[in-house]
Amino acid sequence: MGQEKRLILAVVLMLGVVALVNVLFPPQRPAEPTGEQDAEFAPAEVTSPAMEEEAATEPPQISAVVDSATVPGLVPAEEVVSDELSLEDTVWVTSPIYRLGFAQRGGRLVSAEMVRFESLAEESKGQSVQLVPSGAENFFTHQWLVGDDTLDLRRVHFDIQPRDGLSLASGGQPQVLRLVYSYPGTQFRVELDYTFKPDSYVVDLAAGG
Amino acid sequence: MMGLGPGLQSNAWDPENDYRSNLTYSAMGLEDVTSQKVEDLEPGERVTLDGPFDWVAVRTKYFLTAVVLPVDADEEGRFGGLMIRSLPERYRAQAVASFPLSREGDFQRTIYIGPQDYGRLKAVGRDLDKVLPFGYKWLEPVLRPLAGAITTLLVWMHNFLGLGYGWILIIFGIGIRVVLFPLYQKSMRSQMATMRVQPLMKEIQEKHKNDPQKLQQEMMKLYREHKVNPLGGCLPMLLPFPILIALFFVFRDTIEFRGVPFLWLPDLSQPDPLYIIPVLMGASIFLLQWITMKSSPPNPQMKMMMYVMPVMMVVLFLRFAAGLNLYYATMNLASLPQQLYIAKERKAAAKAPPLGKKAEEPGRKSKT
């Protein structure tokens, strides 16, 4: 093969490679969902078949404690809406790399600022990157399926300890933020322990009923 | 069940484009990642991704929130599914991940809230780094480790040398060319050797055109005698391409290059707003071809390619990340000294008497 032919071959190969990048590698196409498309989002129905089976055959022990007939908290979310909604105190966890805000209502994440990254968007240019959209309702909220009922924790009031939040210093020890929901008049409580490590974007969550 | 929020807020130069192209819910199945772009959902549409999943996540181009089954946790605690419902607001959805509780109602999860930093995602485990897309799945086994290695090397160079990523890319481009120097040299010499024995090859082809077996034997003998490897000229020239493709993905999604300015470039991960780097890249291709052409026998096709090829490459690379263009232009420019040296050798080789009987006939000697 002559040199000119080699060159043309090389050019064709180069163009082929570039074409592959442009044409054959579009942003990854989402895989077709294989599951039930019509799944309702009503609390008691939001389960995979595997979950439903498990719930039906092996209810968690907490079902003995939490009963919809005796514990009014175990009703759909809409009915839980109460004056607790006004309790919007946010507890902050600050570290050298982020600033996270947890609301008492639902114990949800309401703010996640990445303090080492500046926003490039026109409307927030120069500010820290904020990952949680304004008004986001269910970041890290919980609904626990108990038999046919759902314990909806999305709008209940969590007591957060320490109330002043956490301040993590670089190189320091991990610290725990505890979110506790206690249903008045019962022994039922939910504890969510978030363990934060300085200089890490990883947060460990340990929950117990 | 655990809520995964309505999606993430984009902080990119062009949030609309970020939402449209990148806002995706993903989940890691037993073998692969399943994803659902929010853009592809009609308002109110519901989609269920069926598990079991090791992790569920929502991401934009550079940031990610993921809930992961801890590495040491029982695999029975995997997520059963991820249910997504598109909201009336554009690029907003509600996602809920289901997973079984223990009889005591206890569970553990690892949460990641932060940048899509390859090293950090890899450290979380459960293949969370696979949330970064790499085009077609069949290319992933090659591209993912290569892109990971390149990212790690660039970050290490940045930290070790204390230089900005623009300069690191220039050093990296030169380094790649230096590493490939011996291979490229061998390739070019192999090409010259092949050219030199071409008259003999033609003679053999004519002599044994009716006996393919004999033709093959004679050709192999010729290759052995003159130490010619017919593939030796091509393969080394292809080596930079996997790196180029891997870099395409590195610049597309790697947080390290996000918003990193260099000289007049506001962001190495974005196209050059003044198009200087792509044009420089095209000029470097033109220059390399011009040197090759000057030292080769006249060829109209080659001359045409010398003009067409750079233009095509500039058009193709115009909207690619400036960092990718910077690397490619640097690598091309760094190969100029070698190209000049090879051209000199080629000229000297062309002056040597050609091999073969026909070549020795008057008037058949090639010009230089």
Side-chain angles (χ1 to χ4, degrees), chain B residues 54-218:
Chain B
D54 279 351
W55 50 257
V56 292
V58 57
R59 61 178 288 260
T60 53
K61 184 173 182 177
Y62 289 114
F63 294 92
L64 167 82
T65 297
V67 185
V68 185
L69 182 70
V71 176
D72 55 355
D74 191 336
E75 291 181 348
E76 286 180 5
R78 282 182 170 133
F79 296 92
L82 180 63
M83 287 133 290
I84 307 158
R85 184 188 62 178
S86 176
L87 296 176
E89 298 93 344
R90 201 140 189 239
Y91 308 122
R92 286 285 169 259
Q94 284 290 10
V96 179
S98 65
F99 55 88
L101 291 173
S102 70
R103 293 189 66 84
E104 292 76 30
D106 298 340
F107 67 87
Q108 280 84 40
R109 288 292 180 268
T110 300
I111 293 172
Y112 184 91
I113 313 167
Q116 291 174 49
D117 179 312
Y118 177 80
R120 288 182 187 270
L121 296 180
K122 188 95 182 156
V124 173
R126 298 266 181 203
D127 291 331
L128 185 58
D129 57 300
K130 285 192 175 175
V131 76
L132 296 168
F134 276 86
Y136 281 117
K137 287 182 170 55
W138 59 271
L139 271 173
E140 283 200 11
V142 177
L143 282 183
R144 192 176 292 282
L146 187 58
I150 290 172
T151 306
T152 307
L153 178 63
L154 292 176
V155 172
W156 178 82
M157 287 169 70
H158 169 69
N159 294 333
F160 184 74
L161 299 173
L163 294 171
Y165 277 109
W167 295 112
I168 293 298
L169 283 170
I170 289 172
I171 294 170
F172 182 68
I174 295 169
I176 290 291
R177 185 44 73 186
V178 169
V179 168
L180 293 178
F181 184 95
L183 286 172
Y184 198 69
Q185 196 80 351
K186 202 176 168 184
S187 154
M188 286 297 164
R189 284 183 178 147
S190 173
Q191 276 188 15
M192 283 192 286
T194 309
M195 278 183 74
R196 194 166 157 73
V197 298
Q198 240 175 6
L200 292 176
M201 285 164 66
K202 280 181 184 165
E203 280 175 20
I204 293 169
Q205 281 165 348
E206 279 177 25
K207 194 175 170 184
H208 302 289
K209 60 184 172 189
N210 296 323
D211 187 353
Q213 199 177 349
K214 183 74 178 166
L215 173 66
Q216 197 181 356
Q217 283 174 354
E218 289 296 316

